[in-house]
Amino acid sequence: MWYCSYFVLLYIFGFVNLTISKQIPLIGLFTSTNHDNNSSSSSLVINYAVNHLKTIDNLTSELLIQHSEQDIPCDMAIGTKMVFDMIHRKPRPLAIFSGSCQTVASAIAETAGIYDMTIIIYSETSSLFTAREKYPSLIRTVPGDSQHNIARKLLLKTYNWRRFGILYQYERQYTMPVTRFNDLLHEDSIEWENALSKGISFNDLDETQGNRTRNSLKDAFDELQRNNIRIILGNFNSTMAIRIFCEAFRYNLYGSRFQWIIVGYYEPEWWLKNEGPCNTSEILVALNGTLQTRVAESRYDDNTRTIADLTPAQFKFDLSRLKTSSYYKHSYFVGYEFDAILTLTSAFEKLDNSLLKQNCSNNFSNDFIWRQSCWRTELIDIIKKVDIEGVTGRIRFNNGDRIGEIVIEQILVSHSGKSNNVEIVKLFVAIPTDQLKYALLYAKNGRNVTWHGYGPPNDRIKRIDRAQRISVLTYTIIAIASGIGIFLAIGFFVFNIIFRTHRFIRMSSPQINNLIIAGCIFSYISVLLMGIDSTLLGKRYSDAAMNFICAARIWMLSIGFTISFGAIFSKTWRVHTIFTNVDAQKRAIKDIRLFMIVGTLLVIDTVLLSAWQIIDPLKIHKYKSQTQTTDEDIMILWSHEECRSNRRSIWVTMQSIYKGVLMVIGSRFAWATRNVHIAALNDSKYVGMSLYNVVLLSITTAVVGYFLRDQHERSYILTSTFILLCVTITLCLVFVPKFLEVAKDPRSEAKPQRVVISTAGAKSHSPPPPVEEKEKKTSTKDNEQAILKMKQLTNQNDVLKLSANKCDELINKLLSALEEANGKQYQFEIFIPTSTILMDDITHTHESDWLLADENQLTK
């Protein structure tokens, strides 16, 4: 076949080129892996690469790699002994070429450092090899694990994932990339949030609840749940990965709301090596959709030619035709093995010219020259500066570490019958640019990320910031209502002043009524102050102004309540004092005593408020609260301002107790005088109704305000509405009857009202029956007696009329005494005997039943 002819020609050209090429002896050390069935496969790939390079005209250096016929096991002792044996062979080796496991690679890299011998490896990505103080002569043609951090960062940026957590295996080779990843993020101006960085130890995988340590697997997942972390990055080996995804299945940390991003593994079907508590199907359920980063198996641009005059596509084709095709299928790093040979060949091509410039001999067959350090140092420097094209991408190094391409893949699990099919899909490639930065490109296969939900998961619960502020419309409506109330109160005040000499107004204590109006105006103003927040003020003065408004709110409302309620309370007390226990001796109660009551209440209120303001002043505080929506990923974050002090509850309790006791006593007075109706003296039932109104609406306002404290605008609307209703109803109950009375009698010509005491609980009695006649005869004598009886009744009626006139005169004296502020004091006693006749629930008496004594009679 034609490809057989190709290999024949290749070997012929190689033989011809052998006569003019310079051989470079190297130590070759390769270890076998569990999944590699062909232990001599590494040698076949190396032979193919070396023979192919012989066909390149401009390459004069030929690598002569001395190695055992069979790959050695992953044993540090065997590997180290083989290196020492090969160093002393003839010809002397100039470098070490290795594709060994991590344990052997670490041992021989340290040995090479002792001899200042360059060692180049192509299959170990562990971050441990970045320690240049330990491995000074190490070169890697495969990108290390820390290079994955750049691809991860680009991926997080692509999907706007700013908040994440990291789980890593508690070993140095896995902790180092995590530390460097955090350092990489700090270089950005983007605000990243690493919500959790948790190490997990193999020793703590099976810890129980009672003896967990800080590296426990279950503790790590408890913290993931507690912190609500959606984007989880993983740095651990495949054995640990099986246990972690088992735990993810148990904690339900997979699916549409979560995204796992791990450093990928190169063992085929690693998830089948399951020895944990979960079965493979459960692990695959949690693993489905996981994103992983791995080094690129071949370069992104398949058409770029390498220094071997070979494209990546041709390289793949050649490998597929070799006897070692099984190795090509199983070994992920075969391209990096080929690029390592290209790197060494290119470096030795430049070494001769560089040594001539430094007067350093290149006769390495001489032991003396071989032991010199000038060429060793120069060889390492040349390799670090290499910049050539390889089959895995552009070959460049950063302090001995390869700057290479990183692919982002997704693990997809599908089900067919009882079997699970796992597909690894390439999605993105992170390619380094000329400025040593990376660009994230879509893979050429046209595949997109497969999401469990409708798109990429959110990295956190989306919090929508909303200010709990009173809307302009709400404040405008309440402000208008408050303004109307203030004008109404001013109107009543003007009415009270103009008609203060009117008998009906004068008898209702107009000065006390003015106090009720003043207290109501203060309450209206407090409603206006409650709706003001910092948005209505300038930022420069908002805090100081709001602190003042906080104090003004409580002062206005408290003082307004005390003045208005105190005035109503004092008037109710006067009625209670005069018209209860009516058989006791009474004295006239002047307005000055009512002012003293209101003043006493105001002093108590002022003392409490002053102490509050001095000891623990109210200040504006900004609070935030959150509300969960029907969407689990969206939460409303409310911010609002509130007037608070350190011990606000104590001060509010003191105020509530003081005013609560006052309202209880006032309610008792109002109930005791509920049946007294004399509007000119105490506004009777209207004052009592006002007091009930204040008590009920005050309690309702306090309760509603407590339960709606987290709903700022609703709380303001309801609280303001109750205050406005309470104040307005009080004003109307006190002044509307007066307004109507004045409208009926503007010149005060009506007679004063009598005292009427309702006795709803009394029973009506009929007048005593007339004297029974012993004998009912139809004689003339009986007629005469009937006529005589009628005359007696007529006389008795005249006497009753006279008694009624005397009662009216006495009532006029009583009312006149109450009208005179500085008049002479009178004292009256009214005795209502038990023989009172009751009709229609109104008390009526006979003249003979009244014993009236004025002041002159009592002093005798």
Side-chain angles (χ1 to χ4, degrees):
M1 299 176 67
W2 67 268
Y3 59 85
C4 295
S5 303
Y6 168 79
F7 284 113
V8 171
L9 291 175
L10 186 146
Y11 282 109
I12 293 174
F13 281 111
F15 177 77
V16 173
N17 202 29
L18 183 62
T19 58
I20 58 173
S21 62
K22 181 178 180 180
Q23 291 187 338
I24 306 298
L26 303 175
I27 295 177
L29 190 62
F30 312 102
T31 57
S32 60
T33 58
N34 294 332
H35 60 267
D36 185 10
N37 298 322
N38 191 352
S39 60
S40 61
S41 55
S42 299
S43 302
L44 295 176
V45 175
I46 291 173
N47 292 336
Y48 158 76
V50 172
N51 291 330
H52 180 80
L53 290 177
K54 291 178 182 179
T55 65
I56 308 302
D57 295 336
N58 58 347
L59 297 179
T60 60
S61 298
E62 176 189 348
L63 301 183
L64 181 60
I65 301 177
Q66 305 172 19
H67 59 89
S68 62
E69 294 182 0
Q70 300 293 329
D71 293 346
I72 66 172
C74 183
D75 189 300
M76 180 178 62
I78 296 176
T80 305
K81 181 179 183 303
M82 185 171 290
V83 169
F84 277 111
D85 292 342
M86 289 185 176
I87 284 178
H88 297 91
R89 286 185 183 180
K90 297 292 184 176
R92 295 280 193 171
L94 303 182
I96 301 175
F97 179 79
S98 176
S100 54
C101 62
Q102 179 183 332
T103 306
V104 175
S106 176
I108 62 176
E110 288 190 70
T111 304
I114 297 173
Y115 286 93
D116 285 334
M117 182 176 290
T118 301
I119 176 172
I120 186 165
I121 61 177
Y122 59 83
S123 60
E124 271 306 317
T125 63
S126 172
S127 58
L128 294 177
F129 292 107
T130 58
R132 290 301 152 189
E133 66 280 0
K134 188 175 183 180
Y135 310 110
S137 59
L138 175 65
I139 303 293
R140 285 194 295 182
T141 58
V142 61
D145 289 342
S146 296
Q147 294 289 319
H148 296 235
N149 290 335
I150 300 174
R152 285 179 165 190
K153 178 181 173 182
L154 293 175
L155 182 64
L156 295 177
K157 280 185 176 181
T158 300
Y159 294 105
N160 198 32
W161 292 328
R162 299 291 184 265
R163 184 176 186 269
F164 57 87
I166 302 178
L167 297 184
Y168 59 90
Q169 192 169 320
Y170 200 68
E171 295 178 15
R172 190 165 180 266
Q173 71 180 85
Y174 301 104
T175 59
M176 287 177 63
V178 173
T179 303
R180 293 181 180 180
F181 182 67
N182 291 328
D183 294 339
L184 180 65
L185 296 182
H186 291 157
E187 297 175 2
D188 266 357
S189 58
I190 299 176
E191 186 176 349
W192 300 94
E193 182 184 353
N194 186 351
L196 176 66
S197 187
K198 185 75 173 179
I200 304 170
S201 172
F202 267 111
N203 297 329
D204 300 323
L205 289 181
D206 299 315
E207 294 269 332
T208 60
Q209 182 69 32
N211 60 346
R212 292 184 185 177
T213 66
R214 64 188 183 93
N215 298 321
S216 169
L217 178 62
K218 293 186 180 297
D219 274 352
F221 276 84
D222 287 341
E223 291 191 41
L224 287 175
Q225 276 193 335
R226 185 166 51 252
N227 295 321
N228 196 22
I229 297 173
R230 311 292 186 85
I231 311 302
I232 308 169
L233 280 63
N235 276 53
F236 33 73
N237 62 22
S238 58
T239 305
M240 177 73 76
I242 292 174
R243 290 301 307 274
I244 285 179
F245 282 102
C246 171
E247 210 67 26
F249 177 82
R250 290 177 167 183
Y251 278 78
N252 201 31
L253 296 183
Y254 62 90
S256 59
R257 297 171 55 202
F258 299 91
Q259 184 60 60
W260 287 81
I261 306 173
I262 64 174
V263 174
Y265 314 110
Y266 306 102
E267 308 100 305
E269 299 182 338
W270 54 268
W271 50 85
L272 297 178
K273 304 173 184 178
N274 177 23
E275 298 179 358
C278 298
N279 57 51
T280 303
S281 297
E282 292 173 338
I283 293 173
L284 289 178
V285 168
L287 187 63
N288 186 23
T290 297
L291 297 175
Q292 67 177 11
T293 56
R294 296 200 292 181
V295 297
E297 191 173 7
S298 62
R299 68 180 301 146
Y300 183 75
D301 185 4
D302 285 342
N303 297 321
T304 303
R305 289 193 169 274
T306 66
I307 63 169
D309 195 23
L310 191 68
T311 65
Q314 292 173 334
F315 175 71
K316 292 179 183 178
F317 177 80
D318 291 347
L319 289 183
S320 65
R321 298 303 183 213
L322 291 177
K323 294 179 180 180
T324 184
S325 59
S326 61
Y327 173 74
Y328 165 68
K329 293 178 181 179
H330 292 286
S331 179
Y332 194 87
F333 301 99
V334 62
Y336 293 97
E337 185 177 1
F338 185 82
D339 283 350
I341 295 175
L342 292 184
T343 301
L344 285 172
T345 302
S346 175
F348 280 107
E349 286 288 319
K350 299 175 182 178
L351 182 61
D352 287 343
N353 295 331
S354 180
L355 293 179
L356 290 175
K357 294 179 182 179
Q358 297 184 15
N359 296 322
C360 185
S361 174
N362 60 355
N363 184 14
F364 303 121
S365 59
N366 188 323
D367 283 351
F368 176 76
I369 295 175
W370 180 82
R371 296 179 184 277
Q372 290 182 350
S373 61
C374 61
W375 69 268
R376 300 173 186 271
T377 305
E378 187 64 22
L379 178 61
I380 294 176
D381 292 340
I382 291 174
I383 294 177
K384 289 181 179 180
K385 296 176 183 178
V386 163
D387 189 355
I388 59 176
E389 298 293 344
V391 294
T392 59
R394 190 174 175 182
I395 302 175
R396 290 181 296 172
F397 299 94
N398 179 18
N399 196 25
D401 285 327
R402 170 76 180 274
I403 303 171
E405 299 178 4
I406 304 295
V407 296
I408 299 175
E409 302 166 328
Q410 187 175 31
I411 302 174
L412 297 178
V413 181
S414 59
H415 306 279
S416 63
K418 296 184 179 179
S419 62
N420 296 312
N421 301 319
V422 181
E423 180 185 11
I424 298 179
V425 180
K426 185 184 295 186
L427 302 173
F428 302 97
V429 182
I431 300 176
T433 62
D434 291 334
Q435 292 79 23
L436 298 182
K437 295 182 179 180
Y438 277 74
L440 194 64
L441 304 178
Y442 286 97
K444 292 183 177 181
N445 57 12
R447 298 287 294 271
N448 295 320
V449 182
T450 301
W451 306 111
H452 289 287
Y454 295 106
N458 295 320
D459 63 345
R460 68 193 77 197
I461 292 179
K462 186 178 181 182
R463 290 178 170 85
I464 301 176
D465 291 326
R466 289 185 181 174
Q468 271 192 333
R469 304 196 183 279
I470 299 167
S471 66
V472 176
L473 178 61
T474 299
Y475 185 71
T476 301
I477 294 173
I478 293 181
I480 292 173
S482 298
I484 294 173
I486 291 173
F487 281 113
L488 178 65
I490 294 174
F492 285 141
F493 176 75
V494 173
F495 166 80
N496 203 46
I497 295 298
I498 293 175
F499 293 97
R500 65 185 181 278
T501 59
H502 192 283
R503 175 185 293 273
F504 195 86
I505 302 299
R506 187 172 67 250
M507 296 304 296
S508 66
S509 301
Q511 300 299 329
I512 300 299
N513 293 338
N514 289 339
L515 288 180
I516 296 175
I517 294 172
C520 291
I521 291 176
F522 282 165
S523 299
Y524 282 127
I525 295 174
S526 70
V527 171
L528 294 175
L529 294 176
M530 289 178 186
I532 298 176
D533 54 35
S534 59
T535 56
L536 301 177
L537 307 173
K539 292 183 179 180
R540 182 176 180 182
Y541 302 104
S542 61
D543 289 344
M546 286 304 300
N547 290 337
F548 173 79
I549 291 174
C550 281
R553 289 174 184 173
I554 194 69
W555 277 79
M556 282 290 181
L557 184 59
S558 183
I559 295 298
F561 176 87
T562 299
I563 293 176
S564 59
F565 184 83
I568 297 173
F569 172 84
S570 63
K571 293 182 73 174
T572 308
W573 169 79
R574 180 166 65 180
V575 176
H576 178 270
T577 302
I578 293 175
F579 290 99
T580 56
N581 299 324
V582 296
D583 58 340
Q585 182 178 349
K586 303 294 178 185
R587 293 182 179 273
I589 299 176
K590 297 183 178 181
D591 287 351
I592 188 64
R593 296 185 65 182
L594 306 187
F595 277 108
M596 291 177 63
I597 292 175
V598 176
T600 301
L601 298 177
L602 189 59
V603 168
I604 296 173
D605 211 29
T606 303
V607 170
L608 288 176
L609 291 174
S610 299
W612 186 355
Q613 190 64 27
I614 295 172
I615 298 174
D616 189 22
L618 284 167
K619 293 182 180 180
I620 195 68
H621 292 273
K622 295 181 179 180
Y623 294 93
K624 290 189 176 183
S625 59
Q626 56 188 21
T627 304
Q628 183 69 53
T629 63
T630 54
D631 189 341
E632 294 182 352
D633 289 338
I634 299 178
M635 182 173 289
I636 306 297
L637 189 63
W638 299 99
S639 62
H640 67 277
E641 296 176 342
E642 187 177 350
C643 295
R644 301 286 279 175
S645 60
N646 295 332
R647 297 176 180 84
R648 180 186 175 185
S649 58
I650 297 176
W651 298 105
V652 171
T653 302
M654 293 171 63
Q655 287 277 344
S656 301
I657 292 174
Y658 157 57
K659 288 181 170 55
V661 171
L662 192 63
M663 288 191 292
V664 170
I665 297 174
S667 300
R668 180 181 177 277
F669 288 164
W671 179 260
T673 59
R674 67 190 181 280
N675 296 321
V676 177
H677 306 294
I678 177 166
L681 181 62
N682 70 324
D683 308 321
S684 70
K685 63 178 180 181
Y686 300 113
V687 175
M689 291 171 63
S690 299
L691 193 142
Y692 292 143
N693 160 68
V694 172
V695 172
L696 293 176
L697 288 180
S698 297
I699 295 173
T700 304
T701 302
V703 173
V704 170
Y706 175 79
F707 285 105
L708 293 180
R709 61 188 182 277
D710 293 332
Q711 302 179 34
H712 196 51
E713 186 168 15
R714 291 184 182 179
S715 175
Y716 173 70
I717 292 173
L718 291 177
T719 303
S720 300
T721 301
F722 284 134
I723 292 175
L724 292 175
L725 284 175
C726 177
V727 174
T728 305
I729 292 173
T730 299
L731 281 174
C732 292
L733 287 174
V734 172
F735 289 98
V736 169
K738 295 177 176 55
F739 181 82
L740 296 176
E741 189 69 27
V742 171
K744 292 178 183 178
D745 184 20
R747 297 185 179 181
S748 187
E749 295 176 352
K751 292 183 179 181
Q753 185 183 11
R754 293 182 181 181
V755 178
V756 180
I757 304 177
S758 175
T759 58
K763 296 182 179 179
S764 299
H765 298 277
S766 60
V771 179
E772 296 183 357
E773 299 179 0
K774 295 182 179 180
E775 296 180 358
K776 295 183 179 179
K777 298 179 180 180
T778 59
S779 62
T780 305
K781 186 177 179 180
D782 293 336
N783 294 333
E784 292 177 355
Q785 290 179 352
I787 294 172
L788 181 61
K789 186 65 175 178
M790 291 178 62
K791 290 181 179 179
Q792 290 177 351
L793 290 175
T794 302
N795 294 334
Q796 188 177 3
N797 186 46
D798 293 338
V799 172
L800 290 175
K801 288 182 178 179
L802 180 62
S803 298
N805 291 334
K806 289 182 179 180
C807 287
D808 288 339
E809 182 180 355
L810 177 61
I811 290 173
N812 290 336
K813 289 182 180 181
L814 175 63
L815 296 177
S816 298
L818 293 174
E819 290 179 10
E820 297 176 3
N822 298 318
K824 183 179 179 181
Q825 295 185 356
Y826 291 91
Q827 183 174 2
F828 302 93
E829 291 186 359
I830 302 176
F831 297 94
I832 302 178
T834 58
S835 61
T836 301
I837 299 175
L838 301 175
M839 296 184 64
D840 298 331
D841 294 339
I842 305 298
T843 301
H844 300 274
T845 62
H846 296 284
E847 180 185 16
S848 59
D849 295 330
W850 287 93
L851 177 60
L852 306 176
D854 62 10
E855 185 180 16
N856 295 328
Q857 293 173 328
L858 293 172
T859 56
K860 289 181 180 182

